Amino acid sequence: MMPLKMTEMWTTMGSTLASFMFVWAIIQQYCPYEVRRFLEKYMHRIMSYFSPYIRISFHEFLGDRLKRSEAYAAVEAYLSANTSKSAKRLKAEMGKDSSNLVLTMDEYERVTDEYKSAKVWWVCSKVMSPTRSMSYYHQEQEKRLYKLTFHKKHRDLITESYLEHVMREGKEIRLRNRQRKLYTNSPGYKWPSYKQTMWSHIVFEHPATFETMAMEPQKKKEIIEDLVTFSKSKDFYARIGKAWKRGYLLYGPPGTGKSTMIAAMANLLAYDVYDLELTAVKDNTELRKLLIETTSKSIIVIEDIDCSLDLTGQRKKKSDKLQDDENDKVNSEVIRKEAKEEGSSVSKVTLSGLLNFIDGIWSACGGERLIVFTTNYVEKLDPALIRRGRMDKHIELSYCSFEGFKVLANNYLKLETHPMFDTIQRLIEDIKITPADVAESLMPKSPLDDAEKCLSSLIEALEETAAAATKAEELSLCSPIKEDEQLEHISPIKENGEFRGDKETDQAMNQSQR
């Protein structure tokens, strides 16, 4: 008799649960989002009266998806290292230097962790929530989160000690496994879009270091010390009330190593690189959103800023502006025509927008970032763009010196000294030649090329450069007098009874005639 009652009880319970699951599935499928949220809210409230467990959620994004949560990233790293062995469903991603796999919990997977005799449970979950759309309202977006569950008797231990332990260890794991990346702003991005970010990236694998750069040792040491000091100055910047960022202006002729310098900076500090293409940015608002999505420990680069849009030239005087109006109209028409043919819009980024990007209020939304501009013609830049406080350190990368040549000789030929170095030193001190040209001469062109042949090739290139410079100087000395200079030497001529020439000659000749 007893087993029969137990069977009936389990049958009734199973039927009830099945009916409940069926009803809940219907509600989730057909009820509006607002109704579902209302029911979930009150169901959780009712269940909380009976459940002895506490739950903490770590959402991936904060606010309106403006920035990825540091806490979420730390939890993800912590769980990948400490609980991946117990999880049954995992996600695999490439780790640092693309040499190993990093395993993390897959969605809806549940793992257990213990801390000082307290047992906790972690679940990787996601929820769907509506977002506004231009065409309809009930477009849903995915929001990922981690849920931490523990017994209420361990509340103090978990909130005061365990979470701090998870954040600290998670950040350390992220730094160890961090795969540095090279980002560029994605064209054709439409905001809001929750399936992609405004940046596309690849693995950053540039091998340049300060040891391999052709620079004077003292200047190299000064730059390294400045960078290292910046990376360790979080408390200092907080004390003086400034955002933790620093601007670098790299200028000099083409081929002097400006891009190589950026790669060396990134490798020295282990920073990501954001290569910002201004011509692909629609307006100042999009520029600000790009800044928001950059992370700390990064370098934001704008290369050849003197060629990026029409925002770097010095402010023109009224006379100059009137003189250039006609040219501006013609250029604007050409730009509009090209943009129309390509199906794109002309960028509306302004100098004011760029200045706010560098050191405005929004520039403080993240810490430990370098902003680097490069240019071949520093005189073309607006003084407001490169003043101290925006571009804090100006670094001139000039032509190759003998010290720079010795670095290149060691890199390319593994030579620290050679009898031909004296000849090269005598020639290179009086010649303007870029490190790129020196490197090309030292590059072996075939397996049979030895060090002496490469050095001879460099000497030949230096002699040709010297001969070309001498010839150019002679031609400039022997060049005919310019048209405006010729007018000064022309004899005054008589027109309408008076001599016409320069002002002083006119007065003297006319007085003599009278």
Side-chain angles (χ1 to χ4, degrees), residues 29-179:
Q29 184 71 26
Y30 296 104
C31 283
Y33 174 78
E34 291 79 3
V35 176
R36 280 184 285 153
R37 288 293 297 166
F38 177 80
L39 293 175
E40 288 176 0
K41 176 182 176 181
Y42 282 96
M43 284 182 63
H44 287 310
R45 184 173 297 181
I46 293 171
M47 292 179 65
S48 65
Y49 287 110
F50 303 98
S51 175
Y53 293 97
I54 297 174
R55 177 181 295 171
I56 300 176
S57 298
F58 297 84
H59 292 264
E60 182 177 14
F61 287 95
L62 303 173
D64 191 17
R65 295 183 65 90
L66 291 180
K67 186 177 180 181
R68 196 169 189 259
S69 168
E70 291 289 333
Y72 178 92
V75 170
E76 185 177 48
Y78 174 83
L79 294 178
S80 69
N82 293 279
T83 62
S84 58
K85 292 181 180 180
S86 61
K88 295 182 179 180
R89 293 188 302 117
L90 300 166
K91 292 185 298 184
E93 295 181 359
M94 292 303 297
K96 187 176 181 180
D97 300 326
S98 302
S99 58
N100 61 316
L101 286 173
V102 176
L103 301 177
T104 57
M105 292 168 55
D106 202 357
E107 293 173 351
Y108 304 113
E109 181 65 3
R110 176 173 174 155
V111 294
T112 303
D113 191 23
E114 289 190 10
Y115 179 76
K116 295 182 179 180
S117 73
K119 182 177 287 188
V120 300
W121 296 269
W122 288 96
V123 176
C124 179
S125 184
K126 69 177 180 181
V127 295
M128 305 297 293
S129 61
T131 181
R132 294 187 180 276
S133 173
M134 297 298 292
S135 56
Y136 53 89
Y137 182 83
H138 294 291
Q139 180 182 3
E140 293 191 336
Q141 57 162 313
E142 294 181 358
K143 289 186 175 181
R144 294 188 295 174
L145 68 155
Y146 283 103
K147 296 179 181 179
L148 169 64
T149 305
F150 56 92
H151 198 281
K152 62 183 180 181
K153 67 181 179 180
H154 300 305
R155 184 187 189 111
D156 293 339
L157 176 65
I158 299 302
T159 56
E160 296 176 5
S161 180
Y162 177 68
L163 290 182
E164 183 180 349
H165 162 73
V166 170
M167 295 296 112
R168 182 177 60 254
E169 189 168 334
K171 289 178 180 179
E172 292 175 357
I173 294 169
R174 286 185 67 199
L175 287 176
R176 290 199 302 268
N177 296 334
R178 189 167 181 253
Q179 184 184 49

Side-chain angles (χ1 to χ4, degrees), residues 218-333:
Q218 185 59 36
K219 188 173 185 178
K220 192 183 298 186
K221 180 182 177 183
E222 177 187 341
I223 296 170
I224 292 173
E225 288 178 349
D226 188 85
L227 290 167
V228 173
T229 301
F230 166 79
S231 68
K232 298 179 179 179
S233 300
K234 180 179 180 179
D235 294 337
F236 172 77
Y237 276 84
R239 178 169 62 82
I240 64 176
K242 289 185 65 176
W244 190 15
K245 62 182 180 58
R246 188 162 174 79
Y248 287 81
L249 175 67
L250 309 182
Y251 66 96
T256 52
K258 294 182 286 295
S259 298
T260 305
M261 170 71 78
I262 295 169
M265 287 178 170
N267 286 328
L268 174 68
L269 301 176
Y271 283 5
D272 291 329
V273 178
Y274 288 84
D275 184 14
L276 177 59
E277 177 55 55
L278 278 181
T279 56
V281 182
K282 184 175 64 175
D283 52 26
N284 293 337
T285 301
E286 186 171 304
L287 183 64
R288 191 182 307 120
K289 290 171 182 174
L290 283 164
L291 174 64
I292 291 170
E293 287 205 4
T294 60
T295 61
S296 60
K297 293 186 178 294
S298 62
I299 304 176
I300 302 173
V301 180
I302 303 179
E303 292 198 270
D304 297 321
I305 192 169
D306 53 295
C307 304
S308 298
L309 307 179
D310 185 21
L311 48 77
T312 57
Q314 296 185 4
R315 296 174 176 86
K316 298 179 180 179
K317 298 179 181 178
K318 287 187 177 180
S319 57
D320 297 331
K321 191 174 180 181
L322 291 173
Q323 185 178 359
D324 292 343
D325 273 351
E326 193 63 30
N327 292 335
D328 291 342
K329 290 179 181 178
V330 174
N331 292 336
S332 297
E333 288 298 327

